[in-house]
Amino acid sequence: MKNILKNEYDLQQIRISGKITANVLEMIKPYIIPDISTKDIDDICHNYIINVKKAIPACLGYNNFPKSICISVNDVVCHGIPNKKLFLKNGDIVNIDVSVIKNNYYTDASKMFLVGSVNKKNKLLCQITRNSLYLSLKCIKHGAKINKIGQIIQKYVEKNKFSVVKEYCGHGIGKNFHELPYILHFYNKNDHTIMQKGMVFTIEPMVNEKSSSIKCMKDGWTVKTQDGGLSSQYEHTIVVTSTGCEIITHQKNEKIPKIFINT
């Protein structure tokens, strides 16, 4: 367990990386408009990460992923590949997933963007997803059970008549893109892992409008809902503290604190 607990130097570097990841999501917002291609969005983010922030886009080349960020539109659950032929339309909901490496440390975050005028139900899907992540942060602290995160997310999402994707989970992160512990977004009574101060991991619930069933497309990356219903995701990288947690990828205008005290 010791090798997944981060020391103060690790945390300093992870905070620097996390600030860049957050900055990318802040920077790209004005560009999420009708008629822009997802390739153009990727190009803007790539240039910003490389040339402005002097960092590395973690997705580019990861298991042969061809682009610098993931862009998942409407019924795409995750890992959407930016494409010069895919243009955003008025009413779309879009997830942009950003991972960067700075000084050999990884961080990871994603959020939903609304394109033009989006209908109430699709806005609600995004709000419920974001709220489920925010609610789960209130249970995080040294000594708490890690399966409480998934329990809170699943209960809240299903109470609001949506469904949680179970095939993908959050993960430890630091000098590697994916480390222990795994963070399920549904309740697993058999997971007895205890949160410890210095754990750094992502929480990234994927929530579907209809069924939770998904399918992977022929490109080997793009994951869509089985029934064509829309999907939404929010993600933060967080560190467990003795009294709660710190959101490493906290962004401007978020209506939650960067530091949670959960006593």
Side-chain angles (χ1 to χ4, degrees), residues 23-254:
N23 288 162
V24 178
L25 290 168
E26 293 162 351
M27 175 278 301
I28 200 62
K29 186 179 181 188
Y31 298 95
I32 310 302
I33 56 175
D35 301 323
I36 191 171
S37 76
T38 56
K39 179 187 182 297
D40 284 345
I41 297 169
D42 180 73
D43 288 345
I44 294 164
C45 290
H46 176 88
N47 177 67
Y48 183 80
I49 294 166
I50 295 280
N51 295 319
V52 179
K53 293 298 186 179
K54 311 299 183 188
I56 299 167
C59 291
L60 185 60
Y62 178 76
N63 289 344
N64 297 315
F65 190 82
K67 298 294 181 181
S68 293
I69 60 172
C70 299
I71 306 179
S72 303
V73 183
N74 293 335
D75 65 335
V76 178
V77 176
C78 61
H79 304 157
I81 301 173
N83 186 330
K84 66 182 179 181
K85 295 180 180 178
L86 177 60
F87 296 87
L88 299 185
K89 307 185 304 294
N90 184 58
D92 284 347
I93 62 171
V94 185
N95 178 270
I96 295 184
D97 192 343
V98 176
S99 306
V100 306
I101 311 166
K102 181 70 174 181
N103 302 331
N104 298 314
Y105 285 85
Y106 290 76
T107 52
D108 195 0
S110 83
K111 65 177 290 188
M112 298 302 295
F113 294 86
L114 308 178
V115 184
S117 179
V118 173
N119 72 38
K120 279 186 179 180
K121 183 168 185 186
N122 297 345
K123 278 184 183 176
L124 180 64
L125 172 64
C126 297
Q127 289 167 359
I128 295 301
T129 309
R130 182 185 61 199
N131 290 348
S132 75
L133 168 55
Y134 288 178
L135 280 171
S136 74
L137 298 173
K138 295 179 180 180
C139 79
I140 296 174
K141 63 179 178 181
H142 180 82
K145 286 188 175 180
I146 223 158
N147 65 7
K148 187 73 176 170
I149 296 169
Q151 184 180 32
I152 288 169
I153 290 169
Q154 183 178 23
K155 182 178 179 181
Y156 179 77
V157 167
E158 292 178 353
K159 184 181 80 172
N160 283 279
K161 311 300 184 190
F162 295 116
S163 62
V164 177
V165 173
K166 296 183 173 65
E167 286 84 351
Y168 294 93
C169 61
H171 52 88
I173 193 166
K175 284 190 174 178
N176 302 290
F177 203 163
H178 298 93
E179 302 176 350
L180 292 173
Y182 298 118
I183 309 297
L184 301 183
H185 304 115
F186 60 96
Y187 181 58
N188 176 15
K189 66 179 181 180
N190 297 316
D191 185 353
H192 303 296
T193 309
I194 301 297
M195 298 181 217
Q196 294 188 46
K197 180 183 176 182
M199 279 184 174
V200 177
F201 52 76
T202 70
I203 305 174
E204 46 186 297
M206 302 172 194
V207 176
N208 290 353
E209 174 190 10
K210 299 177 183 175
S211 162
S212 63
S213 299
I214 60 173
K215 59 184 177 183
C216 190
M217 309 311 286
K218 288 182 180 177
D219 62 26
W221 279 106
T222 306
V223 176
K224 291 190 172 187
T225 60
Q226 192 88 38
D227 55 19
L230 270 57
S231 189
S232 167
Q233 182 189 20
Y234 280 82
E235 174 182 16
H236 270 307
T237 298
I238 68 102
V239 56
V240 179
T241 67
S242 57
T243 56
C245 66
E246 175 186 343
I247 305 172
I248 297 291
T249 48
H250 190 274
Q251 294 137 50
K252 294 174 187 171
N253 302 322
E254 288 201 70

